[in-house]
Amino acid sequence: MSNTQTNNIYPIFDRMMGREDKETLLKQRSVMVWFTGLSGSGKSTIAIALERELHQRGLLCRILDGDNIRSGINNNLGFSAEDRVENIRRIAEVSKLFIDTGVITIAAFISPNNELREMASSIIGKENFLEIYVNTPIEECERRDVKGLYAKARKGEIKDFTGVSAPFEAPEHPALSLDTSVLSLEESVNKLLELILPKVGA
């Protein structure tokens, strides 16, 4: 092989396509929308409605929540303090991959303390991280109790249940706070769109 051939190792193709390349292809900028709040506060309901609205505007999104994470990539994790940290760490790492692919990423997890959410933000990148606090009072969350979890927690059948037998730390500086006992679903989504659309270039 000649020197010319050995030195010409396709320099244009020597790196993976970057985030900007993907965002250009998708005609959008990616961002992390991280919902936090008590069980029953409305996180997943709002996340699903937000995804639908963004999709209708031609924006590609991916929702991550307990259903698709705990049944898949995190199906070997329990609910110990260590496993809860690892759960959020893996979610953040997966989210970072989506963000780097230009996809608007929506996560809906209790993530009950500032340390966990700070870890997620650091992994994903603070400049990409929008913390949304679904600030629905526990009385309303418990009244809904769609899955019967609060009732079981009150009976002691579920240990370390956030809001009952384990604490929840409210975010100190959320990008947006939503109380679904006051706001309708449509009002909540509209507030989110006002925040998100300018950031994703829509």
Side-chain angles (χ1 to χ4, degrees):
M1 186 180 291
S2 70
N3 286 336
T4 305
Q5 287 175 308
T6 54
N7 291 333
N8 185 21
I9 311 295
Y10 308 108
I12 295 172
F13 305 112
D14 66 353
R15 66 175 182 89
M16 290 192 294
M17 304 283 290
R19 175 177 172 179
E20 288 185 3
D21 299 310
K22 307 299 176 63
E23 289 179 330
T24 299
L25 176 69
L26 295 171
K27 298 181 175 61
Q28 66 182 47
R29 291 193 298 273
S30 53
V31 71
M32 176 82 242
V33 184
W34 188 283
F35 288 98
T36 181
L38 293 170
S39 177
S41 60
K43 299 183 299 298
S44 292
T45 300
I46 299 171
I48 290 166
L50 174 64
E51 180 191 40
R52 189 169 297 278
E53 286 296 325
L54 293 173
H55 182 84
Q56 288 176 353
R57 287 166 170 77
L59 298 164
L60 182 62
C61 308
R62 174 74 246 188
I63 292 182
L64 303 175
D65 66 11
D67 290 338
N68 60 27
I69 291 293
R70 282 281 184 180
S71 64
I73 193 171
N74 287 351
N75 67 4
N76 65 323
L77 297 180
F79 291 91
S80 67
E82 295 80 8
D83 281 2
R84 287 173 189 262
V85 172
E86 178 62 9
N87 182 52
I88 296 299
R89 188 194 71 78
R90 290 186 197 175
I91 292 161
E93 292 288 0
V94 169
S95 297
K96 187 174 190 299
L97 294 174
F98 278 115
I99 295 296
D100 288 344
T101 311
V103 178
I104 298 163
T105 309
I106 303 167
F109 295 93
I110 293 173
S111 44
N113 62 56
N114 288 312
E115 187 176 354
L116 279 176
R117 296 187 297 266
E118 181 65 28
M119 175 184 68
S121 173
S122 296
I123 291 169
I124 293 162
K126 296 183 191 305
E127 69 281 4
N128 303 314
F129 194 86
L130 293 177
E131 186 179 51
I132 310 299
Y133 179 25
V134 186
N135 185 19
T136 306
I138 188 169
E139 295 80 13
E140 176 63 17
C141 297
E142 198 160 354
R143 187 189 66 76
R144 296 171 183 174
D145 203 10
V146 178
K147 300 175 183 176
L149 300 177
Y150 283 97
K152 289 181 180 178
R154 295 290 181 196
K155 293 175 186 174
E157 295 173 13
I158 301 176
K159 294 181 179 179
D160 299 323
F161 187 78
T162 305
V164 177
S165 50
F168 178 87
E169 288 180 9
E172 295 173 354
H173 305 290
L176 189 63
S177 183
L178 302 169
D179 179 351
T180 64
S181 71
V182 176
L183 296 170
S184 69
L185 180 58
E186 183 180 6
E187 289 169 333
S188 295
V189 171
N190 284 340
K191 285 179 176 291
L192 283 162
L193 292 174
E194 287 175 13
L195 173 68
I196 295 165
L197 290 178
K199 297 180 183 299
V200 299

